[in-house]
Amino acid sequence: MKPEIRLIDKTFSLYLAEDKIMARIAALAKELQQDYLGREVIFLSVLNGAFMFTSDLMKSLDMNLEISFIKLASYQGTKTSGVVRELIGLNKDIKDKHVIIVEDIVDTGTTVDKLMELMESHGAKSIEVCTLLFKESAFAGQKIPKYVGFEIPNKFVVGYGLDYDEAGRNIKELYQLKE
Ligand code: IMP
Ligand code: MG
């Protein structure tokens, strides 16, 4: 576990170690199991960023569930473009099911709001958001995430699935941009 890493042209400092992330995921899993006991649940993972969080969260859950994936993009470099493009559509029937959107990070909230619209038009019974990270001070959306791993300041982070121009997704820990 390095205290600092260099990706492309920027330096990042260690922010959340793997054991801290794992402990928080175990707690989130417990909460989800209790809340969704006996219900038909589909987890909708938002690619690419949420792939690692989704994997660890799913392995921690002891319940019947379905998993599906959707791919969206709104970021270029370290700045949001404000426009969310849908790249891979929904491939599962979510009608009358309880949908839990799994995100790596909720920043402005644009992505989640766009997903909400999509899920509602497909007849989901309920929709909640489970995100590893929440930049509350940057949030300007409608749907407030119910399940949050960590509330973090409005600074760019990489690792654990999150990228800086596609670099750093494979890192086990989370790193924060050093300024
Ligand atoms: P939102 O639509 O502004 O909430 O942005 C959500 C998406 O932007 C996330 O799913 C991430 O892919 C990306 N994003 C937001 N903040 C960061 C960050 O600090 N590092 C890497 N990606 C980020
Ligand atoms: Mg994402």
Side-chain angles (χ1 to χ4, degrees), residues 86-122:
E86 185 186 335
L87 303 177
I88 299 176
L90 210 56
N91 60 1
K92 280 232 160 114
D93 187 11
I94 60 154
K95 195 166 161 41
D96 297 326
K97 286 182 186 162
H98 297 280
V99 175
I100 302 166
I101 296 170
V102 183
E103 265 283 25
D104 50 353
I105 185 163
V106 175
D107 182 20
T108 62
T110 313
T111 308
V112 160
D113 282 350
K114 161 93 188 186
L115 279 171
M116 288 296 297
E117 256 176 56
L118 206 71
M119 299 300 106
E120 277 162 1
S121 71
H122 282 78

Side-chain angles (χ1 to χ4, degrees), residues 16 20 23 32 43 63 68 75 95 102 134 139 141 149 170 175:
L16 285 170
K20 281 207 180 133
L32 286 162
F43 284 88
M63 64 192 270
S68 196
Y75 255 64
K95 195 166 161 41
V102 183
F134 183 31
F139 185 74
N170 59 316
Y175 283 82

Side-chain angles (χ1 to χ4, degrees), residues 67-80:
I67 308 169
S68 196
F69 297 89
I70 195 162
K71 184 162 180 168
L72 301 159
S74 71
Y75 255 64
Q76 271 175 338
T78 59
K79 299 244 153 51
T80 184

